[in-house]
Amino acid sequence: MSIDFEQLRADALEAVSAAGDSEALQALRVRYLGRKSPLKSALRGLSDLPAEERARVGRLTNEIKNDIEQAVAGRSEALEREHESELGGREWSDLTLPARRGRRGHRHPITLVEQDLDNLFRGMGYRVVEGPWVEDEWHNFDALNIPKWHPSRDSFDTLWLSDGNLMRPHTSPVQIRAMKRFGAPLRAVFPGRVFRNETLDATHEAAFNQIEGLVVDREITPGHLFHSVKAILSAILEEDVETRFRPSYFPFTEPSFECDIMRNGDWMELCGMGMVHPTVLEAGGLDAQEWTGFAFGLGIDRLAMMRYGIDDIRWFHRGDLRFLEQF
Ligand code: FA5
């Protein structure tokens, strides 16, 4: 089938310039440029033509296609302008109206809990200090009384980097940094993100948040520790929480404990803690004969779960707005 290209171009341009509204224009766009248009079938048929014909017809169809596209774009703009000036005759702007508000975002539930923790600890006279996410082996292990051969190194599911450093699996290395930087007596918390090569489930994430607390002074006892932890948890959860302290093991504290809290008839592990091991005080540059201390490491994500009644930790990182917009 041969096409009269020039006639096609003339018809198309005339129809486009006469299009009365955007629907009519859209219909013309489909008719002249769409999949079933004569131009498209001509392009599809190109390969059947002899070589010199092919070049000529190819060039011509492209040229016509461009012409029509330009005409459609031009007409579309003209229609828009007509529409606006017509509106302008009927409507006017009231410049005294308040500006339209953009949609505001809000803070993530973990951030909310973290900020409350910050305020709470500052109110109790703790410094808030952050440490690096990428740690070296000495701060994360050796200084925390975990020598190379120590089996508890494996229990941290550490993500190692190719340069020999690691993504910190807990916030405890900041204890060492803080003792070195501020000396004793010291009362400080270290909030931040930690990373573990962890199998995910409803209470385990691979990247989560901890807040570490460290108090160093003379004659600190486990009584100070238990009382502080219970007071802190009650303040954050805004109720008198039921706590359970179990004996546990951490190389950097002696004795060590684990704190669980009661939620919906179940105990949930929330916090590791203990009296700072003398070796750790020494690694922080302090005289272990003179100074004593307690430390705790609290899972912020788990705390947020309890506070907001969230049943699965994985909600926090899903980015699902139906979840996030509830806070
Ligand atoms: C530690 O990380 C110790 N550094 C805590 C500590 C600090 C002990 C100071 C003594 C003195 P643990 O691995 O148990 O301990 O983690 C502490 C808390 O982090 C847990 O109680 C829990 O609330 C939270 N947590 C641990 N693993 C995960 C995980 N995969 N996902 C979410 N939260 C976790």
Side-chain angles (χ1 to χ4, degrees):
M1 183 190 72
S2 82
I3 303 174
D4 183 342
F5 285 107
E6 291 309 331
Q7 187 64 45
L8 178 71
R9 166 153 45 194
D11 288 350
L13 296 185
E14 193 187 291
V16 166
S17 70
D21 55 36
S22 56
E23 283 91 69
L25 192 59
Q26 177 57 18
L28 289 171
R29 191 205 305 267
V30 171
R31 177 152 144 219
Y32 287 107
L33 300 170
R35 231 161 14 93
K36 295 186 187 149
S37 62
L39 277 182
K40 279 284 154 69
S41 32
L43 280 172
R44 272 197 295 274
L46 276 185
S47 53
D48 301 334
L49 297 176
E52 62 289 8
E53 264 296 274
R54 198 185 303 156
R56 191 185 66 81
V57 174
R59 212 172 315 118
L60 190 58
T61 29
N62 268 322
E63 193 187 297
I64 295 176
K65 181 167 134 290
N66 289 342
D67 282 358
I68 301 178
E69 272 169 357
Q70 261 180 25
V72 168
R75 185 65 194 143
S76 167
E77 259 177 52
L79 284 171
E80 184 94 349
R81 272 197 306 276
E82 275 172 31
H83 179 65
E84 272 169 20
S85 69
E86 198 192 323
L87 269 185
R90 284 190 277 115
E91 295 178 10
W92 54 287
S93 302
D94 181 352
L95 297 180
T96 64
L97 284 174
R100 262 193 221 138
R101 284 246 181 145
R103 243 170 70 111
R104 279 235 189 149
H106 57 82
R107 296 195 176 91
H108 190 276
I110 300 272
T111 310
L112 292 174
V113 173
E114 218 166 54
Q115 285 179 337
D116 282 357
L117 285 164
D118 268 24
N119 288 334
L120 176 70
F121 281 110
R122 279 184 216 278
M124 297 191 304
Y126 284 68
R127 285 172 186 273
V128 181
V129 186
E130 292 197 32
W133 293 0
V134 173
E135 258 304 358
D136 57 67
E137 191 176 354
W138 187 81
H139 282 92
N140 193 72
F141 288 121
D142 304 82
L144 292 175
N145 194 31
I146 318 175
K148 287 222 166 29
W149 48 264
H150 201 286
S152 82
R153 275 203 183 200
D154 299 337
S155 70
F156 279 100
D157 302 310
T158 307
L159 294 159
W160 290 88
L161 301 175
S162 50
D163 62 3
N165 288 325
L166 49 93
M167 301 305 293
R168 64 174 185 191
H170 59 169
T171 41
S172 299
V174 197
Q175 287 187 33
I176 305 294
R177 295 183 178 276
M179 283 188 273
K180 282 187 169 296
R181 184 157 149 213
F182 303 112
L186 176 64
R187 213 180 311 171
V189 286
F190 324 119
R193 185 161 286 217
V194 300
F195 308 85
R196 292 186 191 180
N197 183 15
E198 186 90 78
T199 309
L200 306 191
D201 63 25
T203 54
H204 290 85
E205 258 291 359
F208 57 102
N209 302 273
Q210 290 186 336
I211 186 164
E212 183 98 1
L214 174 66
V215 170
V216 178
D217 210 324
R218 297 187 174 85
E219 294 171 27
I220 296 285
T221 69
H224 295 118
L225 170 61
F226 296 148
H227 176 79
S228 300
V229 167
K230 187 169 161 75
I232 290 155
L233 294 177
S234 297
I236 283 294
L237 296 172
E238 295 175 329
E239 64 175 69
D240 186 16
V241 290
E242 196 180 339
T243 45
R244 175 173 78 177
F245 295 96
R246 291 179 280 124
S248 182
Y249 173 75
F250 296 101
F252 32 94
T253 47
E254 177 58 37
S256 303
F257 310 93
E258 206 100 46
C259 172
D260 306 326
I261 74 177
M262 173 59 89
R263 239 20 191 193
N264 307 324
D266 249 343
W267 292 106
M268 190 196 242
E269 178 199 314
L270 196 59
C271 186
M273 64 180 94
M275 305 306 292
V276 183
H277 197 288
T279 307
V280 174
L281 290 169
E282 300 278 352
L286 302 179
D287 180 354
Q289 296 298 322
E290 182 179 2
W291 299 104
T292 50
F294 70 68
F296 58 86
L298 177 69
I300 297 182
D301 306 56
R302 297 225 183 132
L303 195 57
M305 289 171 77
M306 288 179 196
R307 167 138 136 194
Y308 297 115
I310 295 162
D311 57 3
D312 193 319
I313 195 170
R314 289 166 290 193
W315 279 111
F316 289 130
H317 289 167
R318 271 189 196 140
D320 187 328
L321 287 179
R322 290 169 307 174
F323 169 76
L324 294 172
E325 283 176 347
Q326 296 176 56
F327 300 94

